[in-house]
Amino acid sequence: MMPAPQSKGPRRPLSVRGARPATRLGGNSRVRIAVGRILLIGALLIAGVKLVQVQGIQADELSQQAQKQRTTRQDIPAERGSILDRNGNQLAFSIEVRALYILPQRARKTWDDARAAKPADHPLSYDDHAREMAGFISSTLGPEVNGEKTDEETIYQQLVQDISYEVLVSEAEPAKAAKIVEKYPAEIGSEYRSKRIYPNGELASNVIGAANWRQDEKPPTTQGILGLESAQDNLLAGRMGRRIVDTMSGDDTVVIPNTERELVKPQPGKSLELTIDIDTQYAVQRMVTDYAKKSGAKNASAVVLDSRTGEIVAMANDKTYDPADFGKSSEDQRRNGAVASNFEPGSVNKIVTAAAAVELGLFKPDDVLQVPGSIRVADRVIRDAWTHGTVPMSFTGVFARSSNVGTLQAAQQVGQERYAEMLQKFGLGSRTQSGVPAEESGVVPPLNQWSGSTFGNLPIGQGLSMTLLQMTGMYQAIANDGLRIPPRLIRAEIGEEGARSEKPRPEGVRVVSPETAKTVRDMFRSVTQSDPRDANQNGTGKAAALPGYQIAGKTGTAQQIDPVCKCYSQSQYWITFAGILPADNPRYVVGIMLDAPNGTQFSSSAAPLFHDIAAYLTQRFQVPMSAEQTPFVQLQM
């Protein structure tokens, strides 16, 4: 039997198909794939090269450019120092405030983007959210902050404006500002600002000056604008700190909220302790203002000096201004007439002749001069204020009665050179270096420019000019036993933690001997002498007398220049007075100037104003009464 043939394996079911044979690739498909691979490789190579360039070669440069676009270096203003009176009372100080701001366009976009991403967390529209913020801000701040409206509707309109930056309020309290920023940190920003406070309003404003926050400065800061605030700005301002903040692209002044990083803390400014006594300043300023009105004066000023130290206890003008709102004041109001006005002092200047004549041993108080009614000096004839023939006057009487002729007789004995030297010793023609801003120097013609009639003008207080502070300083020298102490305004500087550094006292200038100074003081007591029985024995300043105290002083009347004829006016005068309190034990010196008083019973003399100021000083500082009353002196024989 033949063997059966061998089987090749089991047969597949008909339902199962085998794999299709591969289709042959066409030429075009292979080209496309190859090109795609080449492009992909090329792109990766280019990206790799760029990555190497960015991360390696240009890394520092690009990093710096990116930082410049989003960060800004800013100065942090320092706390400004205060200005204090001699007893530590504040005349000017700063408080910290906050400006609240928003970036409305950015805030709206941020809110809308967040709402689109998570609508459940942001159910309100931006406008409704802004209404909610406005309500909270207004309820926290109140309806108004220092004149700025902060009611809900005003705030809401600011929040929804289509602008990049908006200040909501400029001077918010820091605690309230912090509460608002804490609730809305993504929308509301807070910016440091400083507000200058003048607790006494117009008091001593001509001296203190004004400072305010200057947002337009680079960097913004509190800047002194007028007076001492300006003159001492560097010392008061301190040293600024530094910080890094994120700012809006293209505007370095718009800080993105909550991006501040402090780098260097600011160094606070120093405070100034002045020589002024706030109570005396108030009283004198009030009296000067009142007397200017009563006398019809265009301007009026008064200065009170400590006779022993030269310290300025008060410096008052009738016109003042509110330093917190100085923009509304006039130039005349801002001016410190006590140092910025030059005037001819009139007979107050006769003390120079008296001091020189006594110092040189030319005259004694009881010496008698035969004084005619007039005297010729070069081409000028000078007369006394009252008509008289030749009369015998004591040397004391010449000044008590303010005789021009008798004064010129004594001055001629002194001589021009020695007289010019005495003017210089009294500090005339030079600034006092008191520290009071805007001080003028006055004008004293140099000896080599004197004409024949010059020496007929100067001894009676015409032909030269001075400031009220200089004039008061002349009498301080006589009050202080002949030693003139240049006046000063700043007593001490106060640094951090109350460290006090007293300013060195200026060196004194010997004008005359102590004996001469006492003799002149005693002579000038007769200016306030009054004799109801004989008018010839009355001094010109009897209204300055103060019961219980010896007063030495001098009245002055000087013709002003008529702007039309350029000659001396017959109707416009400077009225002056300088006095020493008490004459037997000097404590204070008071100088007064009235500019062109007219039309009232108070227009002819400043002596009544001296009386009022002196009476206040004795009470304020408990000045002991004089041991004895001023002795009566025969003025005219």
Side-chain angles (χ1 to χ4, degrees):
M1 230 175 131
M2 294 181 65
Q6 293 183 359
S7 176
K8 296 183 179 180
R11 297 179 65 185
R12 291 180 303 175
L14 294 175
S15 60
V16 177
R17 293 186 178 182
R20 290 178 179 269
T23 305
R24 293 181 64 189
L25 294 174
N28 289 340
S29 296
R30 287 195 297 269
V31 171
R32 283 197 297 271
I33 292 173
V35 171
R37 288 174 177 173
I38 292 171
L39 291 176
L40 180 59
I41 293 170
L44 290 173
L45 287 173
I46 292 172
V49 171
K50 189 65 176 177
L51 186 62
V52 171
Q53 184 181 19
V54 170
Q55 293 187 342
I57 301 173
Q58 294 182 323
D60 291 340
E61 179 183 352
L62 293 174
S63 177
Q64 291 175 7
Q65 290 179 357
Q67 285 293 106
K68 289 181 180 178
Q69 289 175 359
R70 65 183 180 86
T71 63
T72 301
R73 192 182 190 92
Q74 289 189 336
D75 291 309
I76 307 173
E79 180 183 352
R80 190 174 181 84
S82 300
I83 300 177
L84 315 171
D85 86 333
R86 68 191 297 124
N87 300 309
N89 296 303
Q90 290 184 317
L91 301 171
F93 63 93
S94 295
I95 61 172
E96 186 177 321
V97 294
R98 291 289 186 270
L100 291 175
Y101 64 90
I102 188 171
L103 315 179
Q105 292 172 340
R106 182 178 184 275
R108 181 183 289 275
K109 184 179 185 306
T110 300
W111 182 265
D112 290 344
D113 290 347
R115 190 179 184 210
K118 294 183 178 181
D121 294 340
H122 300 79
L124 300 177
S125 67
Y126 176 76
D127 286 348
D128 289 339
H129 177 56
R131 178 68 70 182
E132 180 186 79
M133 285 195 294
F136 182 79
I137 293 171
S138 180
S139 64
T140 303
L141 297 177
E144 183 177 298
V145 177
N146 294 323
E148 292 182 283
K149 290 185 177 181
T150 50
D151 59 275
E152 182 176 338
E153 184 60 29
T154 298
I155 296 294
Y156 172 74
Q157 293 299 330
Q158 291 175 300
L159 296 176
V160 298
Q161 291 186 90
D162 188 20
I163 57 177
S164 62
Y165 177 77
E166 175 72 3
V167 175
L168 304 176
V169 61
S170 300
E171 298 176 355
E173 294 179 24
K176 293 181 178 180
K179 184 178 179 181
I180 293 169
V181 172
E182 183 180 6
K183 187 169 180 64
Y184 301 107
E187 294 92 353
I188 307 300
S190 174
E191 185 179 80
Y192 171 90
R193 291 191 182 179
S194 177
K195 180 178 176 64
R196 200 65 168 162
I197 302 295
Y198 298 93
N200 305 291
E202 298 185 3
L203 185 72
S205 60
N206 311 86
V207 178
I208 298 167
N212 66 359
W213 181 261
R214 308 293 293 184
Q215 187 65 23
D216 54 342
E217 288 295 315
K218 301 288 184 184
T221 185
T222 299
Q223 187 177 74
I225 307 297
L226 300 169
L228 202 60
E229 291 272 32
S230 176
Q232 297 291 328
D233 191 57
N234 289 338
L235 184 140
L236 290 165
R239 185 179 301 170
M240 292 193 175
R242 294 258 182 186
R243 68 177 178 178
I244 294 294
V245 296
D246 292 342
T247 55
M248 292 292 289
S249 177
D251 191 346
D252 289 345
T253 64
V254 181
V255 178
I256 297 174
N258 296 306
T259 62
E260 297 87 352
R261 287 89 75 191
E262 187 176 280
L263 294 180
V264 179
K265 290 185 177 181
Q267 180 179 328
K270 291 184 177 181
S271 294
L272 293 177
E273 179 184 297
L274 306 187
T275 59
I276 286 175
D277 175 71
I278 191 173
D279 292 331
T280 304
Q281 178 71 28
Y282 174 81
V284 174
Q285 189 167 310
R286 179 176 52 80
M287 286 186 275
V288 167
T289 301
D290 179 62
Y291 204 83
K293 293 177 182 177
K294 290 196 300 185
S295 66
K298 294 178 181 177
N299 301 285
S301 301
V303 170
V304 178
L305 295 181
D306 184 306
S307 64
R308 298 164 185 169
T309 65
E311 292 180 343
I312 300 169
V313 180
M315 178 176 282
N317 301 280
D318 69 306
K319 293 180 177 61
T320 56
Y321 63 96
D322 180 1
D325 196 13
F326 63 87
K328 294 182 180 179
S329 61
S330 66
E331 183 178 349
D332 201 30
Q333 288 175 301
R334 296 191 295 267
R335 197 159 170 267
N336 184 0
V339 295
S341 295
N342 289 322
F343 60 91
E344 296 191 6
S347 295
V348 168
N349 199 53
K350 290 175 180 176
I351 199 168
V352 178
T353 299
V358 173
E359 180 77 354
L360 295 170
L362 299 173
F363 293 93
K364 295 178 181 178
D366 295 334
D367 287 350
V368 177
L369 287 74
Q370 297 298 323
V371 181
S374 64
I375 188 172
R376 176 176 289 276
V377 179
D379 59 345
R380 288 197 60 204
V381 175
I382 295 95
R383 294 180 172 82
D384 280 335
W386 74 101
T387 302
H388 64 85
T390 299
V391 293
M393 291 186 191
S394 67
F395 189 57
T396 296
V398 165
F399 300 102
R401 301 206 64 197
S402 201
S403 169
N404 294 332
V405 176
T407 300
L408 290 174
Q409 287 178 315
Q412 288 174 345
Q413 294 293 313
V414 172
Q416 295 187 16
E417 290 187 3
R418 292 189 295 191
Y419 185 83
E421 182 182 354
M422 188 60 71
L423 289 175
Q424 186 176 15
K425 286 183 177 181
F426 271 111
L428 303 181
S430 302
R431 291 185 179 88
T432 67
Q433 306 299 323
S434 62
V436 183
E439 182 181 356
E440 291 289 335
S441 62
V443 178
V444 175
L447 182 60
N448 59 11
Q449 294 181 14
W450 289 12
S451 66
S453 60
T454 300
F455 203 43
N457 282 337
L458 300 183
I460 60 174
Q462 302 259 198
L464 80 169
S465 66
M466 61 185 67
T467 68
L468 180 59
L469 184 59
Q470 288 176 319
M471 187 188 88
T472 313
M474 294 168 62
Y475 281 72
Q476 181 275 328
I478 298 301
N480 192 39
D481 289 336
L483 187 66
R484 178 172 62 85
I485 309 295
R488 65 169 180 162
L489 174 65
I490 300 175
R491 201 178 196 187
E493 297 176 3
I494 302 174
E496 290 188 83
E497 300 180 357
R500 187 174 181 275
S501 174
E502 184 154 345
K503 299 284 283 185
R505 293 188 178 184
E507 293 186 9
V509 177
R510 174 60 62 186
V511 179
V512 293
S513 68
E515 294 76 18
T516 294
K518 183 180 184 307
T519 298
V520 173
R521 284 200 308 272
D522 290 347
M523 288 171 54
F524 277 57
R525 292 179 304 184
S526 297
V527 170
T528 62
Q529 178 173 296
S530 176
D531 186 350
R533 299 165 301 176
D534 184 358
N536 291 325
Q537 309 306 326
N538 288 339
T540 57
K542 59 183 182 179
L546 185 63
Y549 295 91
Q550 295 186 13
I551 302 295
K554 187 71 190 76
T555 56
T557 303
Q559 293 172 291
Q560 296 190 6
I561 300 296
D562 188 322
V564 178
C565 66
K566 307 298 181 184
C567 58
Y568 280 118
S569 171
Q570 298 302 313
S571 60
Q572 298 289 302
Y573 300 90
W574 283 293
I575 301 298
T576 56
F577 190 93
I580 299 169
L581 167 74
D584 56 330
N585 184 23
R587 287 282 307 278
Y588 298 101
V589 180
V590 180
I592 300 168
M593 186 276 291
L594 306 177
D595 179 6
N598 186 45
T600 78
Q601 60 179 321
F602 301 99
S603 301
S604 60
S605 176
L609 178 55
F610 173 87
H611 168 275
D612 294 344
I613 295 174
Y616 173 83
L617 292 173
T618 60
Q619 295 176 33
R620 165 66 177 150
F621 298 104
Q622 298 181 348
V623 179
M625 287 188 177
S626 297
E628 59 182 24
Q629 294 300 304
T630 302
F632 182 84
V633 176
Q634 193 79 13
L635 305 181
Q636 182 172 317
M637 307 303 159

